[in-house]
Structures are given as C-alpha cells and as structure tokens.
Amino acid sequence: MTTPFEKPQIISHIQKSLNYTVFDSKWIPCSAKFVCLGNFARGTGVMQIYEVQHGEVQLVKEIEKAKPLKCGTFGATSLQQRHMATGDFDGNLNVWNLEVPDVPVYSVKAHKEIVNSIDGVGGLGIGDGAPEIVTGSRDGTVKVWDPRQKDTPVANMEPVEGETKRDCWTVAFGHAFNDQDRCVCAGYDNGDIKLFDLRNMSLRWEKNIQNGVCCVEFDRKDISMNKLVATSLEGKFHVFDMRTQHPTKGFASVSEKAHKSTIWQVRHLPQNRDVFMTAGGAGNLHLWKYEYPAQRSKKDADDVDMGVAGTVNLLQNVTLSTQPIGSLDWSPDKQGLCVCTAFDQTVRVLIVTKLNRL
C-alpha cells in the first residue's frame, strides 16, 4: 500500500432515484438482484426487486404493503427458497417468498412498536443449527423466532420489572459455530451493548459506550466469536476482540472516531472478515482493515487471561451523498460488489476494487 493507485477504490457504478424513502437493501443470494425496502409518502410500505444488467438496474417487481417496511434479512432461509424476512413499522415480522410475494409464508405480530432491526442465522448453508430470526424493537424487547414455529418466540429478552424500556436500535447473531451455541448482540439508544447467550439463556456481557448504538455486527456469524464492531452516534465505532473475556474487564476494544456524524451501518466483507465498511450520516463510506496484535491475549496481575485489542487502518473513504447512508450490503457472491441506499431517495450499486490484494 504505497501509492494511491494500489489502494482499493470505491466506485459508484450505478445510481437510481426512487420515489419513496428507502430504509434497507439486501442482495438476493446467488443472483444479480437486490431488494429495497421502504415507505411511500402516503404511508404504505414498498418492496422493490432490481436486477443489475449491462451497467443498469432494471425493476423486476414492485409490491406495495399496508405498513412501511423497516428492515430485512435472508440469513435464516435456504439457498433453494431464498425467502426474505422483514420487520415493519407496526411490529410485524413477515417472511416472503419473493416469487409470489402477495401473501407472507410466515407472519407474526412480533412487537408492540416498530421493528428497528432484524438478523437471521442458520440459513444459506452458513453455520450450524436451526434457522432463527432475531428482531429488536422500540418497545425495548429483543426476540428470537423460529420460522417453523408459529406465534411464540423461542427467546424473549426484555427489561425486568421496574427497569426502564430502552429503544433497541440494532441486533445481530454470532457464535453459531455448532448446533447448540448461539449468541445475540443488541445495541440500545442509551449506549448499552448486551450480549445474550441463547444456549444458557443468560446475559453474558454488557457494556455502555456512552452514545446510542446504531449498528452491531460480528465479523462472522458461523465461527466462535472473533470480533464485534459497534457503531454509534457522534461518529465513533468500537471493535471488540471477542476471543478472550476477562471476568471483570470484559472484552478488549479499540475505538476510532472517523465520521463527523452518526455511523449508521457497519458491514464486514463476506470474503475477508478483517475488512469492513462503515456508512455515515454525512453521506460518506469508510473502508477499514483490522490488524491483529502480535498476541491476542495476555495475563493480568492475577494471572487471569485478558484480551489485547488490535488497530484499525483506513483504506479508503468516499462521499456519495448529502444525506445519511442508511443501509449497506455486500454481495455474498461477487467480491467488492455492494449496494447502498441513502435518504436522498437513491439506491447505488458500488464496486470496490483491489480487495483481493489486502
């Protein structure tokens, strides 16, 4: 990485204006298609499917729904079915067959208020265990659902009696490296990060990072916990080394203040877990690489193992929009291809070059 030309470049390949506010975008696995979710000005929800063809995006399908759609995931579906799970403004969790998306194949009133965030695990041939979907809501609860089981969640993490309900902004699965183990990480508006162990049904770790947690993501869902990135308001993000948990100090972390505004999203590159992109409130993207320390753990004064954090290097950054970039998704199939949406009602297909050289 000596000359600017050897750095990865972030190229805006295609951009398309939309006639609605878009909240989330996801690549459909094993395809050149992606889905955009959002809401029309008239208050209804919209789901659009686009296909990338000859340097253009073609609208394949548009479906209007009764309620605005906030978030979606393919994480709990098989590669054969490719069903998409979505959370909406009314607290509903729906799973759609995108070939016939008029009626959901699974539907449950998951929360009393808006579903802010959703994630899936156990699908797409990644990891072990049952397919599960996790939802986080403004009602303060985090719930885990099995799409084969109707109406009742398999786990419900809610504040105990007397505790104030905090708005849950983000949820993510991790640690799903065998049939039994699985963790859910949740981030809240008051800066709390909570790690729930689904095997023991217990709170494994919690930390407050002083600012509302906008997005959390493990570098991989299907391995023993390795790293977790948490982004926040005020432009700061934290990378936690999840290999070694100290009884009192918890996990070692490194923080970086990169953006001048909120970091809305973080997404790890599917083909390289140490490379990730953050999306900011000023319409910019930053591409990062995590460098491990020489030793990932050391002994403290009492001879107890504690983690050692690495460093974060900025590879490239670009400003795409004047508005916040609200969603970002790497293509699981084509390295360097990604889709992002911003609140200027535009969806952009990006190409990030030279990732194979990192």
Side-chain angles (χ1 to χ4, degrees), residues 191-263:
D192 279 347
I193 299 172
K194 297 191 178 186
L195 184 67
F196 302 102
D197 188 325
L198 296 181
R199 183 177 185 173
N200 303 324
M201 288 298 176
S202 62
L203 178 65
R204 179 164 168 177
W205 169 72
E206 60 181 329
K207 184 176 177 68
N208 189 288
I209 60 168
Q210 311 302 324
N211 270 313
V213 185
C214 302
C215 187
V216 292
E217 192 183 57
F218 289 96
D219 58 355
R220 288 285 179 274
K221 295 176 193 177
D222 57 328
I223 57 172
S224 183
M225 284 190 298
N226 185 50
K227 295 196 307 295
L228 173 79
V229 177
T231 72
S232 70
L233 304 175
E234 314 267 323
K236 208 172 194 187
F237 70 85
H238 302 252
V239 186
F240 295 92
D241 187 307
M242 305 298 282
R243 277 289 160 88
T244 314
Q245 183 174 4
H246 188 272
T248 54
K249 295 190 178 80
F251 298 103
S253 70
V254 57
S255 67
E256 188 78 42
K257 185 164 171 54
H259 301 249
K260 296 205 167 46
S261 54
T262 299
I263 306 182

Side-chain angles (χ1 to χ4, degrees), residues 88-93 108-117 134-145 156-157:
D88 70 19
F89 275 47
D90 209 31
N92 300 302
L93 164 63
V108 65
K109 173 78 169 149
H111 296 276
K112 297 187 186 76
E113 296 182 65
I114 181 174
V115 179
N116 284 323
S117 180
V134 61
T135 53
S137 165
R138 186 183 291 163
D139 67 12
T141 62
V142 174
K143 296 180 183 178
V144 179
W145 307 88
N156 181 4
M157 287 73 85

Side-chain angles (χ1 to χ4, degrees), residues 123-164:
L124 305 179
I126 298 169
D128 294 302
E132 285 180 337
I133 297 162
V134 61
T135 53
S137 165
R138 186 183 291 163
D139 67 12
T141 62
V142 174
K143 296 180 183 178
V144 179
W145 307 88
D146 186 326
R148 303 167 304 181
Q149 177 180 312
K150 198 86 177 109
D151 296 335
T152 50
V154 290
N156 181 4
M157 287 73 85
E158 57 185 348
V160 293
E161 284 294 317
E163 244 187 13
T164 51

Side-chain angles (χ1 to χ4, degrees), residues 2-173:
T2 48
T3 70
F5 300 108
E6 287 175 18
K7 280 184 170 180
Q9 301 298 315
I10 303 170
I11 300 160
S12 184
H13 178 49
I14 311 166
Q15 54 182 28
K16 184 163 184 71
S17 290
L18 307 171
N19 63 340
Y20 60 91
T21 303
V22 58
F23 292 116
D24 204 359
S25 55
K26 287 282 182 289
W27 288 99
I28 300 176
C30 303
S31 78
K33 299 188 181 94
F34 59 86
V35 184
C36 291
L37 306 173
N39 77 309
F40 285 124
R42 56 181 170 269
T44 54
V46 57
M47 176 189 290
Q48 284 187 331
I49 301 170
Y50 285 97
E51 184 164 19
V52 179
Q53 282 180 335
H54 313 298
E56 297 287 322
V57 287
Q58 308 289 341
L59 180 62
V60 178
K61 208 174 275 183
E62 177 175 309
I63 313 102
E64 192 168 353
K65 296 294 173 194
K67 299 292 177 191
L69 296 168
K70 177 68 171 71
C71 49
T73 181
F74 286 99
T77 186
S78 69
L79 282 172
Q80 289 75 30
Q81 292 183 314
R82 295 187 290 184
H83 290 170
M84 187 180 205
T86 61
D88 70 19
F89 275 47
D90 209 31
N92 300 302
L93 164 63
N94 293 307
V95 179
W96 310 94
N97 177 353
L98 297 178
E99 301 294 324
V100 277
D102 306 322
V103 181
V105 293
Y106 175 88
S107 182
V108 65
K109 173 78 169 149
H111 296 276
K112 297 187 186 76
E113 296 182 65
I114 181 174
V115 179
N116 284 323
S117 180
I118 191 168
D119 194 21
V121 74
L124 305 179
I126 298 169
D128 294 302
E132 285 180 337
I133 297 162
V134 61
T135 53
S137 165
R138 186 183 291 163
D139 67 12
T141 62
V142 174
K143 296 180 183 178
V144 179
W145 307 88
D146 186 326
R148 303 167 304 181
Q149 177 180 312
K150 198 86 177 109
D151 296 335
T152 50
V154 290
N156 181 4
M157 287 73 85
E158 57 185 348
V160 293
E161 284 294 317
E163 244 187 13
T164 51
K165 285 191 169 76
R166 302 307 317 198
D167 191 344
C168 178
W169 282 351
T170 174
V171 287
F173 275 116

Side-chain angles (χ1 to χ4, degrees), residues 179-197:
D179 284 353
Q180 288 86 34
D181 282 283
R182 201 165 271 184
C183 285
V184 164
C185 187
Y188 298 84
D189 66 340
N190 63 338
D192 279 347
I193 299 172
K194 297 191 178 186
L195 184 67
F196 302 102
D197 188 325

